[in-house]
Amino acid sequence: MNIEMFGKITDAFGPSGFEEDVIRTIAGYCQEFELENDAMNNLYARMPEVDPGKPVVMLDAHTDECGFMVQAILDNGLLSMLTLGGFVMSNLPAHSVVIKTRAGKLVKGIIAAKPVHFMTDAEKANPNLTIENMYIDVGAVSREEVIESFGIHIGDPIMPDVKFEYDEEHEICFGKAFDNRAGCACIVDTMKQLFEERASLPVNVVGAFAAQEEVGTRGAQVTSQVVKPDFAIVFEGSPSDDFFFSTNVSQGRMKQGVQIRLRDQSYVSNPVFADFAREMADKYGIPYQETVRRGGSTNAGKIHLKNKAVPVLVLGVPSRYVHSHYNFCAKADLEAAVDLACEVIRHLDQERQKHICRQDIL
């Protein structure tokens, strides 16, 4: 895994609906592929010079991150906001953010809630944080200054203000938006590893970087219509649970390998495809773990319903504290996700394809 690439992708500005900087950054690392984008900010990467008659495996990851949007500008210069994606309100106050103006200027702000000095004892015990009673402070003193001097307007997008860092000694990545810039980096790395052998692969591989997952898996509805995949591998920056569950209960532990997702609220995995992934992981010594999620969803929810049903394999990179400002993930888990995807693709011959598609049941 090219960690520098991963860092650049995670740092890119890209709340839901505003992913342009992300797809430009990704495209910069994909010059050997045939690239196109659409009106929704979805990005497609195709291998050149391949047999168009082969089945298609779509590699999916979403480019957007949880962020905010300016909802109103108050007389005193504070900004009212709404969320783009799911946040826990208690994680937000006192953190810094970056607002992107219509002119492309980046403005720093602080998420403000009622200061403790002005709280009653009841409010201290129960702050009752909602997005409606939190505001962003950019240091302005009036609505006019926000608009005329800072250039901020209603509808401007906002992202967490975090810069990527890599702890080389412990091979740990720190930054924002690992859900799902980790998946984006995995697509790029997988396609690069398979590039020279593309003519001999049993399938064609198409990378589909989908927009607006955090607001309803909207981009994948479009990408799956465009690519028309026969199979799909969804990469996710999956929420790690190892910091609050015991080892035997946790299903998303850092440095324990790629996570094979068997169920969430959006889909039930194709069991034959999951069996195949486990077989490849065991054969090639790729560490993996399995998860059955009570909640959550991925783009698999939209993709697996297309055409005559698409077998989907969801591979997660365990990432701590997703849907908050700051995340951790391990380089080894990124690489395990890519390694497993590559081996699945290399061995997805016609017999396997028929078996996964249940064509041998009757």
Side-chain angles (χ1 to χ4, degrees):
M1 173 63 67
N2 181 340
I3 293 297
E4 180 184 3
M5 171 192 70
F6 178 41
K8 294 292 186 183
I9 294 173
T10 65
D11 280 348
F13 188 99
S16 303
F18 300 89
E19 303 90 352
E20 295 91 342
D21 188 32
V22 185
I23 64 174
R24 290 191 189 103
T25 303
I26 293 170
Y29 291 98
C30 295
Q31 293 306 298
E32 63 266 60
F33 309 123
E34 297 173 352
L35 301 174
E36 66 172 325
N37 64 290
D38 62 28
M40 196 181 192
N41 282 339
N42 299 310
L43 175 67
Y44 307 88
R46 293 179 171 85
M47 300 277 198
E49 302 173 351
V50 294
D51 179 359
K54 292 180 181 178
V56 173
V57 173
M58 182 172 81
L59 304 181
D60 164 88
H62 67 88
T63 55
D64 61 317
E65 62 188 297
C66 289
F68 311 89
M69 179 182 283
V70 177
Q71 188 269 333
I73 304 171
L74 280 63
D75 290 341
N76 62 2
L78 293 180
L79 309 178
S80 174
M81 60 179 169
L82 52 75
T83 58
L84 296 172
F87 286 99
V88 175
M89 295 298 107
S90 59
N91 289 340
L92 299 181
H95 288 309
S96 60
V97 294
V98 176
I99 304 149
K100 190 172 188 178
T101 70
R102 296 176 187 179
K105 180 181 178 181
L106 299 178
V107 180
K108 284 201 174 189
I110 300 171
I111 298 177
K114 191 173 185 178
V116 66
H117 312 78
F118 306 123
M119 285 183 174
T120 66
D121 289 340
E123 288 174 325
K124 290 177 184 177
N126 181 17
N128 189 30
L129 292 170
T130 67
I131 200 67
E132 290 82 9
N133 61 25
M134 284 185 277
Y135 301 91
I136 294 175
D137 187 343
V138 295
V141 297
S142 69
R143 185 175 191 276
E144 290 73 24
E145 186 181 11
V146 170
I147 297 171
E148 296 171 10
S149 181
F150 287 87
I152 296 171
H153 294 82
I154 292 172
D156 286 349
I158 307 160
M159 74 169 184
D161 179 24
V162 183
K163 290 296 182 184
F164 179 84
E165 296 179 25
Y166 180 60
D167 180 348
E168 190 169 0
E169 178 183 359
H170 302 99
E171 296 190 324
I172 293 294
C173 304
F174 166 87
K176 68 172 180 67
F178 290 3
D179 175 13
N180 187 25
R181 308 292 166 73
C184 294
C186 286
I187 291 182
V188 176
D189 201 25
T190 299
M191 294 188 69
K192 284 180 177 290
Q193 288 199 31
L194 297 173
F195 182 74
E196 295 299 333
E197 55 189 288
R198 62 191 184 279
S200 61
L201 293 174
V203 293
N204 289 332
V205 181
V206 177
F209 302 86
Q212 297 192 36
E213 190 265 1
E214 298 293 359
V215 291
T217 58
R218 299 170 185 171
Q221 184 164 340
V222 176
T223 60
S224 54
Q225 292 171 175
V226 172
V227 177
K228 296 179 174 61
D230 299 284
F231 303 88
I233 297 174
V234 171
F235 290 109
E236 259 291 351
S238 295
S240 173
D241 60 359
D242 56 353
F243 56 91
F244 66 92
F245 279 153
S246 67
T247 300
N248 289 333
V249 176
S250 172
Q251 298 181 349
R253 292 181 288 155
M254 279 177 46
K255 296 189 175 182
Q256 297 301 309
V258 57
Q259 184 190 68
I260 301 174
R261 185 178 297 208
L262 303 178
R263 186 268 180 196
D264 61 28
Q265 286 187 325
S266 67
Y267 98 126
V268 177
S269 69
N270 179 304
V272 185
F273 210 175
D275 285 344
F276 179 39
R278 285 188 289 263
E279 178 186 338
M280 291 296 100
D282 291 338
K283 181 176 181 178
Y284 291 97
I286 301 167
Y288 70 93
Q289 50 197 312
E290 297 173 286
T291 183
V292 173
R293 293 286 310 279
R294 296 181 185 274
S297 63
T298 72
N299 281 340
K302 292 285 174 65
I303 297 168
H304 83 289
L305 299 176
K306 298 302 177 185
N307 304 321
K308 291 185 177 180
V310 178
V312 181
L313 181 66
V314 179
L315 302 181
V317 177
S319 303
R320 290 180 178 170
Y321 317 115
V322 296
H323 287 221
S324 74
H325 270 54
Y326 312 106
N327 307 156
F328 283 122
C329 78
K331 179 186 178 186
D333 296 334
L334 289 162
E335 293 177 340
V338 171
D339 290 345
L340 183 54
C342 287
E343 296 306 335
V344 165
I345 290 168
R346 288 180 177 122
H347 294 85
L348 195 56
D349 55 34
Q350 289 187 359
E351 183 178 351
R352 293 283 190 178
Q353 293 172 27
K354 291 180 179 179
H355 189 40
I356 292 170
C357 291
R358 320 289 178 95
Q359 292 177 0
D360 54 1
I361 291 180
L362 300 179

